[in-house]
Amino acid sequence: MENNGLSRKSNNKKHHRRIAEGILVLLFTLVLACGFVLSLCLPLRPSVSENEKRELSPFPAFSFKALFDGSYFHGIDLWFSDTFPLRESIIAVNSRIQSLHGIGNVQIKGNLEQGDDIPDAPLSTTEPPSDLALQTTATEPPTTAKEPEDDPDVPRESFDSFLLYGTGGYDYYNFRKDMANRYIGLINRTAAGSNAALYSMVVPISTDIILPESVKKSINSSDQKKASEYLYGSMAPDVKTIPVYDSLMAHRNEYIYFRTDHHWTALGAYYCYVEWAKVKGVEPVPLSKYEKVTYDGFLGSFYAATNKNAGMKKNPDYVDAYKPFNNVSMRIRDKKGNEFGNKVLTDVSTWSASSKYLTFIGGDNPYTVIENKDLTDGSSCIVVKESYANAFVPFLIPHYQTIHVVDFRYWSGNVVSFAKEKNIDDILYLNNISVTRSEPLIKRMEKVSG
Amino acid sequence: MVFSNLFFLYIFLPLNLLFYSLAKTIPAKNAVMLVFSLFFYAWGEPKYVLLLVGMVFADWIFALLIENSANKKTARFWLVLACIVNLGSIGIFKYGTFIAANLKALTGYPAVIPAIALPIGISFYTFQILSYVIDVYRGEVKAQRNFAHLLMYVSLFHQCIAGPIVRYSDVSAEIIKRQTNIPQISAGITRFAVGLAKKALLANTCGLIADAAWLTDSAAAEAGNLAANSAVLASRPAAFLWLGALAFALQIYLDFSAYSDMAIGMGLMIGFHYKENFLYPYTANSVSHFWRLWHISLSSFFRDYVYFPLGGSRRGLARTVFNLFIVWLLTGLWHGASWNFVLWGLYFFVFIAAEKVFLAGVLKKLPKVFGHIYTLTVVLFSWVLFRFRQLPLGWLVFKGMFALNKNPFTSFETKTMWLNYIFFLAVAIIAVTPLVKKISDYFASPKVAATVPGIIINYARIPAVILSVILSTFALVGNSYNPFLYFQF
């Protein structure tokens, strides 16, 4: 009896085991087969990633050289995994899984760098530091009209490192003395070389303004107030510096920075515009005079860089834009050299969640010119900028007949000669503080500056 | 191509398995494996596939010449020649640049240091084929008459480029006669899935943490950035560097053993039985023990072809220590043409020699836990030496781990990083222990397997394996960080 029972049990066991093994082999074969078929569904393969704002790796071009040095096969590997069907949804799933890795509503993304100590005293102007001496115009390569090949085209969607605090991203700012000095140098040279008045506005990023004092103190990010003071204090006396740190700090409880994106909001830009007006000596236009448009559901660069953080998705940003009340026209020259007219504020309500900031002045273009037809005094300015200024520029419209906006990352002219040629009154360098620590950006800005 | 590559997983492997099962006879199956293997190798190294074939051809001839030698003397002559050819090739391709650079530093010549690219897997396949020739000389295996068979054994994509170093004697019978059946294929699939998950879900993330704490390999290797890299590492809080040490220790085991798991798994799918290459090395209770559990196919190669021929431990203590010195010098060098690897090997020599002389006796008298702590500590610091090719950087990290760089103990970022990965690290630590395997074996044991929990666990394996494959696939989509570490050796 007992023997019988045991052997039946043992048969039973073997039986179950065999079934399980059979099912496993079958399912694994199925997974491979599905993967095989799916990965060959070429129309399902995306060619751009909207989230990462980049073109995905294309299928490599064949050449015998590429075949023999291995780059052809390597290219196929890249193309294959980079454009895998359903990649965006799959990446979102990965991000969900990764959120299980640990605890804390604070996360560090990217590789941390160490900032330099910010000098207490401004850079002495009588004795140029060695960094500046290297930057004489003689050593610069001759500027050519065509687009430079080492165009950094800085993808601001990738960060060296940033902090995820709650549902907001906060970019680290690590002061770099050599780069700060080069920034100061290019501003001073432009001021000296041009008859126009030079205004400098260095905008802090949200890290210093928005984060609670306790977090701000403990993170390894340089003090932006001290850095701004160093930058401003080292600029030549005729440069009109616009102190904006304290004003933004005073309004820190308002919606002046995005959480899912590294930019400021138009409201943040407005408060700095008020400071600009004070320095310029003009009456700022009250915000109430503007009609406000709101675009909901903005998920910006931090959202992309966290691979679609679920918390951010639940609490997206919104973009407020303030409609110009003047009779204006705007023309853009884009990166391909096409010229066309565009509204100052584009209607982005149907655009993707990542594109809402593009409502301002048509996004980042090498050259944009805005005419205020209500003015005939011939007043004009140049704004030398990266994307931060986009939300700011519309507020300048009531004050100038012509506003030239140049994005130094793509524009290949020269600010000083351009100002002379167009008989410009004011030059405004409007940059977020991260620019002053970035070598490729500074290098590019030096090329277009005095 | 690497195994954790989507193209491999969903194009190469399915086609390989399909053609393999369509081929009816073993010669036809072998032909399928040979063609796929050469294609696999050429995918990564289009030019050097010729070197691989050429080396196998030369050794095929040498082995036949050895076997047909009239006397031991002639056989010995051919063996020496084979060693010169094999070690000469690895010497040129792997160490040429290193030797030239050091010569130049010492003597000023040669004026130009040749930049020789390291052919993928040369360290692994040269050792495989060399062991074959030596075994033929020793009369342990018969020389393979069929060149295609020998070429298939060496180039087999399962192990050709990153191990395990499979001995010819272990698979010679299976080249001609092997069987596949459902239990074995199922075991192979499970093993493959385990390896894939270890790589894609665990090792890659460990790598990200290690890079964040210790700089990326490419950044740290940049000789021109030594000053900047030193400044960054010197300011890192101690607890952050420890996080890097833990993450790197986990990464290097998970990464490397994952590759062996996948190789063993794919072998089982088609009837090859490769020996285990890792047996939970972090559970070792002495450094010698660690090396009997870590990269077993390499340490046993040096044992059988260097240590024993030198006399092993049978010629007195002094000679034993000398023999160990040679073995560990070579082990270090095998890992890379760089001084840090030489020092890394000699570092282990010191501990293993000490254990031979007295330490093993001391450890035996102490409670077992001391042996484990001692071993883990020695191994953990060895990874600092291993990771930084520029010795000053490794030294800074070592000092920094004890806050001797005037660096703080911890920081906000450090605490945040630890917390961000706390559950992940717990899982990864469990994955380097035999815990899961022990539980699984328990439920598969004859007594338990027939009970209800045993049956449930038996079936639960299916979704677990399939889910691992799918989640690993997901993790590999859009992932830019995915090299196998042992590729560079």
Side-chain angles (χ1 to χ4, degrees), chain B residues 391-408:
Chain B
L391 293 167
L393 293 181
W395 178 238
L396 270 179
V397 168
F398 177 75
K399 282 197 304 177
M401 287 169 82
F402 300 97
L404 295 175
N405 294 327
K406 291 181 185 152
N407 52 330

Side-chain angles (χ1 to χ4, degrees), chain B residues 194-470:
Chain B
V194 166
L196 183 62
K198 269 160 90 173
K199 167 66 183 164
L201 298 177
L202 300 178
N204 284 353
T205 304
C206 286
L208 286 179
I209 306 172
D211 283 356
W214 275 10
L215 298 178
T216 62
D217 234 3
S218 56
E222 199 70 53
N225 288 347
L226 185 61
N229 287 335
S230 304
V232 170
L233 286 175
S235 65
R236 290 273 148 99
F240 202 25
L241 295 173
W242 279 97
L243 177 66
L246 174 64
F248 187 62
L250 291 170
Q251 181 196 6
I252 196 156
Y253 167 73
L254 289 167
D255 198 272
F256 194 13
S257 71
Y259 204 90
S260 292
D261 287 335
M262 292 165 90
I264 290 168
M266 286 189 291
L268 284 176
M269 289 182 209
I270 65 165
F272 278 111
H273 296 78
Y274 309 134
K275 282 191 176 156
E276 290 296 337
N277 206 18
F278 291 89
L279 287 170
Y280 305 100
Y282 288 143
T283 61
N285 54 30
S286 72
V287 176
S288 329
H289 188 206
F290 173 81
W291 273 97
R292 289 197 298 274
L293 307 177
W294 173 277
H295 202 179
I296 299 164
S297 63
L298 179 74
S299 39
S300 64
F301 180 95
F302 280 118
R303 183 195 64 206
D304 294 347
Y305 299 107
V306 180
Y307 186 65
F308 286 167
L310 286 173
S313 55
R314 283 168 294 134
R315 294 205 200 163
L317 192 61
R319 182 59 194 246
T320 304
V321 171
F322 173 75
N323 292 347
L324 285 172
F325 175 80
I326 297 295
V327 164
W328 290 99
L329 181 70
L330 293 176
T331 305
L333 260 181
W334 182 88
H335 281 83
S338 168
W339 287 111
N340 72 307
F341 291 120
V342 175
L343 283 180
W344 179 75
L346 295 180
Y347 170 89
F348 280 112
F349 158 72
V350 169
F351 289 100
I352 286 172
E355 282 173 14
K356 264 275 187 303
V357 178
F358 71 97
L359 206 55
V362 177
L363 285 173
K364 243 182 206 159
K365 283 181 200 137
L366 293 168
K368 261 196 165 173
V369 64
F370 283 98
H372 290 295
I373 293 171
Y374 147 75
T375 308
L376 280 179
T377 313
V378 169
V379 172
L380 197 72
F381 287 118
S382 86
W383 297 134
V384 180
L385 199 50
F386 188 89
R387 167 80 176 215
F388 295 99
R389 291 190 183 215
Q390 286 176 300
L391 293 167
L393 293 181
W395 178 238
L396 270 179
V397 168
F398 177 75
K399 282 197 304 177
M401 287 169 82
F402 300 97
L404 295 175
N405 294 327
K406 291 181 185 152
N407 52 330
F409 278 99
T410 184
S411 70
F412 175 78
E413 283 82 4
T414 306
K415 277 181 249 166
T416 306
M417 280 289 270
W418 274 98
L419 283 176
N420 283 172
Y421 288 104
I422 196 81
F423 300 138
F424 170 81
L425 289 170
V427 171
I429 287 171
I430 290 170
V432 306
T433 69
L435 186 70
V436 175
K437 184 176 165 31
K438 280 198 169 149
I439 293 173
S440 163
D441 285 351
Y442 169 77
F443 282 105
S445 63
K447 255 190 188 167
V448 190
T451 63
V452 174
I455 292 168
I456 292 173
I457 294 288
N458 176 42
Y459 283 107
R461 272 194 202 118
I462 304 169
V465 167
I466 297 299
L467 202 66
S468 317
V469 174
I470 292 174

Side-chain angles (χ1 to χ4, degrees), chain A residues 13 16 21 24 27-28 32 35-36 67 73 77 80 94 101-103 106-108 111-112 114 172 218-220, chain B residues 5-7 10 43 46 183 186 190 212 235-236 412-413 416 419-424 449 458-459 474-475:
Chain A
K13 181 192 96 192
H16 280 299
E21 283 163 351
L24 182 62
L27 283 180
F28 182 73
L32 287 193
F36 181 78
L67 182 69
F73 291 137
D77 272 350
F80 191 86
N94 286 339
H101 280 169
I103 31 176
V106 185
Q107 284 177 42
I108 312 278
N111 292 330
L112 293 170
Q114 189 64 33
Y172 274 84
S218 42
I219 67 170
N220 182 26
Chain B
N5 171 315
L6 291 170
F7 189 83
Y10 291 112
W43 188 270
S186 150
T190 308
S235 65
R236 290 273 148 99
F412 175 78
E413 283 82 4
T416 306
L419 283 176
N420 283 172
Y421 288 104
I422 196 81
F423 300 138
F424 170 81
N458 176 42
Y459 283 107
F474 280 12

Side-chain angles (χ1 to χ4, degrees), chain A residues 298-320:
Chain A
F298 175 41
L299 293 166
S301 52
F302 288 125
Y303 176 69
T306 55
N307 274 331
K308 308 187 177 185
N309 178 279
M312 286 187 181
K313 194 172 187 181
K314 263 188 221 154
N315 301 289
D317 278 306
Y318 58 88
V319 177
D320 281 339

